[in-house]
Amino acid sequence: MTPEKESYKQIFKATSIFGGVQVFQIIANLLKSKIIALLLGPEGVGIFSLLLNPVNLVSQITGLGINTSAIRDVAKSTDNQLELRKTVKTVRSWTRITGIVGVLFLLLFAPWVSKWTFGNENYTLDFRLLSVVVLLIALGNENDVILKGKRRIQYIAKAGVFSAFIGLIASAPIYYLFGKDGIVAVIVITYLSIYLFNKYFAAKEQIENIKLSRIETFYRGKSMVTLGSMMMLGTIVQTMTMYFTNMFVRSHGNLHDVGLFQAGMSITAVSIDMVYNAMAGDFYPRLSSICDDKEQAENLINQQAEMAVLLTTPIIIGMLIFAPLLIRIFLSSEFLSIQTFISWIFIAVTFRPVSYTIYYLLLAKGNTKSCFMFAVVINSSLLLFYPLGYTLLGLKGLGIGYLLMMVIYAVTIVWYVYKKYNVKYKFSYCCLQLFCFISCTVVFCILLTINSYWQYIISIPIFLLTSSFCFYKLNERMDLIKVIKVKIRGKLK
């Protein structure tokens, strides 16, 4: 097998391992959404989101971006045990301090957070109880950094499966017994399980503790914060945008609309993010190790982008066609009004491979200022398009706003990276990307203009043909049929 095919095979292997976990997590998350939809309704989904948004925001602000920047440091020091131990020790010291700061902040400002979020102080106790989640996220960052930095795909996969299972098992009886009053308990149990399983698998790496002076710990952590702060600011801007959007929809609409919006975003996120989350676990540290070699980095970026298109195109078309059925299965008929909204979102994510893979080059090179700049570009456009779209067209307007943002983001980041690093997409990828967009848009237009069973008679053959083409291209790049046969033979033995 050629080095190029080996590279595609590595991408597919990492994606399939993570992807298998993501499928389980998707099912678990969708079942949890089903439970919330049936027992709490759209308003319950809205409350859940409005409680979690500020908690994530506080966690990101106080975390200083160490959880992201340290992955790069661990990936670069895997061959140097002393440096690795120092990095891990630094992360542990800083995350524990930042976690305590986050807890104290939420405990103190809970009344104001409740008033900003819900327009009253009725949720003050809920936010104070959720300060535990801020601490769990902070403490869990050290485990997350170790597993991702060392590319322990199997461990990350197992931790994801077990924590998703616990979250699912816990949510049903709690929501049944306590209704909306059980939301806080479910959030805490979910994050506690994530922390415990990640801690268990990270401990298997047996990284010995090392003594560092306070001065050395401070300065090593300071360098991580310098790199991570811009990443943190970008993430904060993104979280704040969602937070402000939810509050805008609540104030200009109601909690019911917030729930519909979040339910729609969750369906699209769990279906498409499955692939990208699966890829990122291996792609980011791998790209970090070769980012200084332009040719290698460009080849890997193009290979990753091609794999993203080939894997997500059938998913997008399938979700477009069967959206009403999926909404009924995983939510309820009460949520059918989000169908047009999520269709626009799915058209928007056809541009995700363009921006997704090239963005990680900025992270790998430590170009945090550019990362922050693009976070501002993305979310500034969303803060313009979301309120305008919702005011004019309701939920559908939010979907159209998201599409406009994705187009702007894709065009600007490709242009910037080409000018900055002379890294560009190859013709073969551009053809696949165009194929993805046209195929999805054709199906979208069919579903939008035809309201009878003819929409399925026409669109399902397109789905089958597109899936066959993507499978053929995957096989062409990495001998997929041969890989599958080897897997089957191995299991039969």
Side-chain angles (χ1 to χ4, degrees), residues 121-132:
E121 296 183 5
N122 296 344
Y123 292 86
T124 298
L125 178 60
D126 293 313
F127 281 116
R128 282 179 172 156
L129 292 173
L130 287 173
S131 64
V132 176

Side-chain angles (χ1 to χ4, degrees), residues 149-391:
K150 299 195 74 175
R151 296 170 64 190
R152 295 298 184 252
I153 299 172
Q154 295 280 3
Y155 289 160
I156 297 171
K158 291 178 181 178
V161 167
F162 295 145
S163 59
F165 180 74
I166 294 297
L168 174 62
I169 295 300
S171 62
I174 291 175
Y175 285 137
Y176 179 77
L177 293 173
F178 302 102
K180 295 171 187 174
D181 294 332
I183 291 175
V184 171
V186 170
I187 294 174
V188 172
I189 291 172
T190 299
Y191 279 91
L192 177 61
S193 63
I194 292 171
Y195 166 73
L196 292 175
F197 285 116
N198 277 343
K199 181 177 177 62
Y200 171 77
F201 286 108
K204 290 181 176 291
E205 291 302 303
Q206 297 181 343
I207 299 174
E208 296 180 12
N209 197 14
I210 189 173
K211 288 186 177 181
L212 288 180
S213 66
R214 292 182 179 179
I215 295 176
E216 184 175 2
T217 301
F218 173 77
Y219 280 105
R220 290 179 69 90
K222 184 181 177 182
S223 66
M224 292 180 186
V225 171
T226 301
L227 175 62
S229 58
M230 284 296 177
M231 300 180 189
M232 172 199 69
L233 288 173
T235 305
I236 288 171
V237 170
Q238 182 179 357
T239 304
M240 288 181 68
T241 299
M242 185 58 69
Y243 183 29
F244 290 149
T245 301
N246 282 335
M247 288 196 295
F248 180 86
V249 174
R250 177 190 62 79
S251 61
H252 289 74
N254 47 50
L255 278 173
H256 184 274
D257 277 359
V258 175
L260 292 175
F261 172 54
Q262 289 300 317
M265 293 300 290
S266 67
I267 286 181
T268 54
V270 296
S271 56
I272 298 302
D273 285 358
M274 171 188 73
V275 176
Y276 293 105
N277 290 339
M279 286 183 169
D282 179 73
F283 176 54
Y284 176 38
R286 190 178 171 195
L287 183 61
S288 296
S289 64
I290 63 168
C291 64
D292 294 327
D293 186 319
K294 174 190 171 298
E295 185 177 352
Q296 285 193 60
E298 186 174 78
N299 287 336
L300 180 59
I301 287 169
N302 275 273
Q303 290 164 2
Q304 193 81 23
E306 288 179 9
M307 292 292 284
V309 170
L310 294 172
L311 291 171
T312 57
T313 300
I315 296 174
I316 294 171
I317 295 177
M319 294 295 288
L320 282 169
I321 296 171
F322 301 108
L325 177 62
L326 293 171
I327 292 171
R328 284 189 173 93
I329 292 175
F330 293 111
L331 294 170
S332 70
S333 57
E334 196 175 358
F335 289 79
L336 282 173
S337 57
I338 66 174
Q339 181 183 345
T340 303
F341 162 65
I342 65 175
S343 295
W344 282 102
I345 296 292
F346 277 122
I347 293 300
V349 296
T350 59
F351 292 93
R352 180 83 71 84
V354 182
S355 56
Y356 154 80
T357 42
I358 209 97
Y359 172 78
Y360 274 98
L361 181 63
L362 302 179
L363 288 180
K365 285 185 172 291
N367 190 347
T368 52
K369 290 183 179 179
S370 296
C371 293
F372 176 64
M373 177 187 72
F374 280 108
V376 172
V377 170
I378 294 168
N379 292 285
S380 296
S381 59
L382 279 179
L383 285 175
L384 170 64
F385 296 139
Y386 269 164
L388 183 62
Y390 182 72
T391 302

